[in-house]
Amino acid sequence: MESNISHSEIISNFANSIKDKSNFDSVKMQGDFYYYDKYKKKNKYDVGNLMMASHDLSSGNLISSIKRLEYIINKQPEYHSAYLFYIQILIKLNLEFKIEKTIKNALKHHPRDSLFLNLYGKILLFKGEKFKALKIFERSVDKSPHNCSFWLDLAFCYFTLRNLQMAELCLSTAQKINFDHKRCFMLSALLFQEKSMHKETLEIYKRAMELYPNDNEIMTDLAVFYLRIGKKLEGYELYNHINLSKRINLYNLIDTEKISNDNNPLKAIQNLEDLSKFHITSKKSYNILVFMEQGFGDIINFFRYLPYLQKMGHSITTIVSQDSMIPLLKCLLGSEKIRFLKKINYKEIANFDLKTIALNLPYILDTVNKPPAPNKFNFKKLEKNKVTLINKLKKLKSDGKVVGVSWKGNKKHLYDESRSINLKLFSKLFKNKKITFLIIDKEVSSKDSNFLKKFSNVLLCDNLIKNWIDTAIIVSRLDKVITVDTSLAHISGALGVPTKILISKVPDWRWGLKEKKTEWYKSVELIRQDKNGDWKSIINCLANEL
């Protein structure tokens, strides 16, 4: 009879038969009895606690599930299934340190396991250690040469490292294994965009959508593509159809230790109705929960929509996952009536009528082609208790023209290799000794710092910057900013400082593909690559201008 019931029902039945679920030793023993009774043979591993961990997770009891899996791994460190399950939960919770440690531990016991190698490669890739990731991905495909997903991971790693030829070669291998794998379409589309083959790109996405209708990852890539090529209405509208939980890691925004069947903020958030155009036209006032996007630049860029929404008569609460930005956002005019949260608890969710994500607002508010202007800063609030920093900047300005620069973004960004510039090349800008160049970056390596010492007109700001407010104060005093596409570009743009943003041939979607000016910031000029990877001509031109 039991052979006809589902796996989840088997787990549920087993869980219901356990009287003392907190006694892990007892659960293991009962699991052993259960396994022997069902299969007439002994089981080597702790299947009892593994089934209970699955039951705990489905019941919303994440912490119990984690503790149970840690118990199993501690007792049976060679248990493959326990590691896989544990790693899946850690990835959901975005516990980076624990994830890497667990995968390394799994590889100690399963050094030739292609799946663990592949997972470790992904961890390294998202940490920004792309060359290390490449070596690990190569080992994983060596162990499992017929795994399409592993070849696609290797191909994408080459893509992020700008080795497009090798990316195409690995993609072709993946296509021979499974041509219709959804990520084959997604990577093909990215590679066609690198060649400015936009008609072909769109055809690929359309075919992918036919095979995988309503797939959130494909929809996201297609929405970004539409926005990049200037089809803003299509792009923003498509973004509005993507499931919120696929765009925001909700586990980062709640207290996971308090999740239970009766107290599950994840379900409560998902059950909240989504803000739509209907609500805007209804003329009613709503209590709206707005999730900000996850990048620093995105937060600055899209915050403008919250005061705009609030002025329509709605009460706005926003959750900012990058909570270090909240003090800066509170210095913007229009933020006074907006409530800021770092995390949200179960009881608070019941206070809201609707939810949305900041990037949905251009479509909902019908501002697709004309976004509201960025909010200006309240300088009285921004500069409060910053006398020492302001005096230092005054002294610096008295010596002549001051230009803020940044040649690199966060190395963890997947596309950092395409947007950052080699410092040796970038340093050609420093030849004008009449200009003081400020490096607006807290994280300058010792190697780069030593290189910059040979330029008497270049100063590091890392000792002046303690937070985002310090960054904004420094930028507000500059004559000009020259930067790659990073958060500095958004801060200087929001402050109205003349800014040149150096962008790749296939840039972030918000900068489009052709224009020199941008709808987002009036003071910004976009300096575009003519050819993929060609920063040299841009830097030489700027150096001559300066």
Side-chain angles (χ1 to χ4, degrees):
M1 185 77 175
E2 193 166 87
S3 61
N4 294 324
I5 68 174
S6 68
H7 183 64
S8 60
E9 286 178 298
I10 291 172
I11 291 173
S12 181
N13 290 342
F14 175 75
N16 291 334
S17 73
I18 305 296
K19 290 182 179 179
D20 186 2
K21 294 177 176 60
S22 62
N23 188 331
F24 294 172
D25 291 332
S26 175
V27 171
K28 179 191 179 304
M29 192 180 300
Q30 290 176 78
D32 292 341
F33 286 136
Y34 174 85
Y35 190 89
Y36 186 81
D37 184 58
K38 182 172 174 60
Y39 298 105
K40 306 306 177 190
K41 61 180 180 179
K42 289 184 178 180
N43 182 41
K44 183 180 177 182
Y45 298 114
D46 185 354
V47 69
N49 276 301
L50 190 68
M51 285 197 290
M52 279 304 305
S54 177
H55 182 264
D56 289 340
L57 182 65
S58 63
S59 302
N61 198 338
L62 276 170
I63 302 305
S64 177
S65 185
I66 286 173
K67 287 179 179 177
R68 205 176 289 278
L69 289 165
E70 287 173 345
Y71 165 86
I72 299 172
I73 290 168
N74 186 49
K75 294 278 187 179
Q76 298 175 332
E78 71 285 357
Y79 195 177
H80 191 277
S81 297
Y83 276 117
L84 279 180
F85 194 7
Y86 185 49
I87 290 164
Q88 287 172 10
I89 295 175
L90 296 180
I91 289 170
K92 267 189 176 183
L93 296 176
N94 199 29
L95 299 174
E96 291 182 14
F97 172 72
K98 272 194 172 185
I99 296 167
E100 185 172 3
K101 184 180 177 182
T102 303
I103 294 174
K104 283 182 175 179
N105 197 31
L107 282 168
K108 281 183 186 177
H109 298 280
H110 304 276
R112 298 174 60 81
D113 188 278
S114 59
L115 182 54
F116 287 141
L117 285 168
N118 177 266
L119 288 169
Y120 186 43
K122 288 176 180 175
I123 293 299
L124 292 171
L125 179 63
F126 286 100
K127 281 179 64 180
E129 297 179 25
K130 299 181 179 76
F131 286 102
K132 286 184 181 179
L134 190 66
K135 297 296 181 187
I136 299 296
F137 284 136
E138 286 173 343
R139 285 174 60 193
S140 72
V141 298
D142 184 54
K143 302 296 180 190
S144 293
H146 302 294
N147 188 309
C148 182
S149 292
F150 291 179
W151 278 105
L152 287 165
D153 288 328
L154 179 59
F156 184 69
C157 191
Y158 273 119
F159 180 84
T160 65
L161 288 167
R162 310 304 299 152
N163 189 335
L164 303 185
Q165 187 176 359
M166 282 302 296
E168 287 182 343
L169 185 62
C170 293
L171 171 62
S172 68
T173 304
Q175 288 171 325
K176 288 172 186 174
I177 299 168
N178 181 3
F179 190 85
D180 286 338
H181 192 294
K182 77 170 186 179
R183 287 175 55 214
C184 285
F185 293 108
M186 292 166 72
L187 187 53
S188 294
L190 290 177
L191 287 164
F192 273 119
Q193 287 179 71
E194 293 292 328
K195 300 172 185 175
S196 300
M197 298 171 70
H198 300 139
K199 183 180 178 181
E200 292 82 354
T201 300
L202 189 55
E203 288 302 314
I204 289 170
Y205 280 132
K206 284 182 178 178
R207 175 62 178 151
M209 290 291 285
E210 287 172 6
L211 291 174
Y212 301 95
N214 301 316
D215 181 272
N216 287 291
E217 289 181 310
I218 296 172
M219 287 166 66
T220 300
D221 278 12
L222 178 55
V224 168
F225 173 67
Y226 276 141
L227 290 168
R228 184 178 285 127
I229 63 174
K231 292 192 171 186
K232 297 173 189 174
L233 181 61
E234 293 92 330
Y236 282 122
E237 183 176 9
L238 190 55
Y239 249 125
N240 273 257
H241 292 300
I242 300 166
N243 191 299
L244 179 142
S245 63
K246 301 298 181 183
R247 289 169 57 187
I248 301 290
N249 188 341
L250 294 174
Y251 287 99
N252 288 342
L253 307 174
I254 60 173
D255 187 349
T256 52
E257 292 193 13
K258 294 181 179 177
I259 295 179
S260 67
N261 255 343
D262 300 323
N263 182 3
N264 192 331
L266 294 174
K267 288 182 180 177
I269 290 170
Q270 288 163 358
N271 289 337
L272 262 182
E273 188 178 353
D274 290 311
L275 176 68
S276 69
K277 288 188 175 189
F278 165 77
H279 299 111
I280 298 301
T281 56
S282 71
K283 305 299 181 182
K284 292 181 182 178
S285 295
Y286 296 100
N287 197 351
I288 305 171
L289 179 63
V290 181
F291 293 89
M292 294 304 294
E293 299 297 329
Q294 299 185 62
F296 291 118
D298 293 324
I299 293 169
I300 299 166
N301 191 191
F302 280 89
F303 182 79
R304 67 185 74 194
Y305 289 96
L306 275 61
Y308 187 91
L309 191 58
Q310 186 272 323
K311 284 179 182 176
M312 298 173 79
H314 305 293
S315 297
I316 308 299
T317 297
T318 182
I319 302 186
V320 185
S321 60
Q322 305 283 10
D323 57 28
S324 62
M325 295 234 48
I326 292 176
L328 178 66
L329 297 176
K330 286 184 174 180
C331 293
L332 287 165
L333 294 170
S335 68
E336 302 84 4
K337 293 183 179 180
I338 291 170
R339 183 170 170 242
F340 293 85
L341 295 177
K342 298 176 184 179
K343 292 196 173 189
I344 190 164
N345 62 48
Y346 178 73
K347 289 182 179 178
E348 281 183 302
I349 297 167
N351 297 326
F352 297 102
D353 304 308
L354 304 164
K355 70 176 186 295
T356 192
I357 306 179
L359 196 49
N360 289 354
L361 292 173
Y363 176 74
I364 293 170
L365 297 172
D366 283 325
T367 59
V368 163
N369 292 308
K370 193 175 181 182
N375 296 82
K376 294 182 178 180
F377 281 92
N378 179 336
F379 276 91
K380 187 176 180 181
K381 191 182 287 189
L382 186 73
E383 296 175 351
K384 189 177 180 181
N385 301 322
K386 295 290 181 179
V387 175
T388 303
L389 175 60
I390 290 167
N391 287 338
K392 286 180 181 178
L393 293 169
K394 280 181 182 177
K395 186 175 185 302
L396 197 63
K397 281 280 286 182
S398 66
D399 295 333
K401 195 172 183 180
V402 183
V403 174
V405 297
S406 180
W407 67 92
K408 65 179 181 67
N410 186 339
K411 73 168 189 173
K412 289 184 179 182
H413 194 289
L414 278 176
Y415 302 120
D416 189 54
E417 270 67 20
S418 65
R419 67 174 185 167
S420 292
I421 302 175
N422 178 276
L423 177 56
K424 189 174 181 181
L425 174 62
F426 192 86
S427 67
K428 287 185 177 182
L429 300 182
F430 306 149
K431 66 182 182 181
N432 187 339
K433 302 300 179 183
K434 293 181 180 179
I435 298 175
T436 299
F437 292 92
L438 286 189
I439 309 298
I440 315 295
D441 195 334
K442 277 186 72 175
E443 298 176 357
V444 179
S445 69
S446 54
K447 180 184 175 183
D448 289 346
S449 183
N450 288 330
F451 174 79
L452 291 168
K453 284 177 182 176
K454 65 181 180 181
F455 301 98
S456 59
N457 59 332
V458 175
L459 300 175
L460 294 175
C461 278
D462 52 342
N463 63 332
L464 297 177
I465 299 173
K466 294 186 178 66
N467 50 50
W468 288 102
I469 287 178
D470 291 339
T471 302
I473 290 172
I474 292 168
V475 172
S476 71
R477 269 38 182 205
L478 299 174
D479 295 292
K480 183 186 290 187
V481 168
I482 301 172
T483 178
V484 296
D485 182 10
T486 186
S487 54
L488 173 59
H490 294 278
I491 290 177
S492 59
L495 284 161
V497 175
T499 302
K500 293 181 186 290
I501 307 178
L502 317 184
I503 55 177
S504 60
K505 186 145 190 337
V506 184
D508 183 76
W509 64 266
R510 83 197 71 216
W511 309 127
L513 292 170
K514 295 177 182 177
E515 293 79 10
K516 285 188 176 181
K517 299 299 286 182
T518 171
E519 62 193 355
W520 299 109
Y521 307 106
K522 287 183 179 179
S523 67
V524 162
E525 181 185 356
L526 302 171
I527 311 295
R528 299 177 180 276
Q529 284 182 347
D530 286 328
K531 294 187 295 184
N532 273 327
D534 179 22
W535 292 118
K536 189 175 180 179
S537 57
I538 287 177
I539 296 300
N540 287 339
C541 184
L542 281 175
N544 290 333
E545 281 183 26
L546 289 170

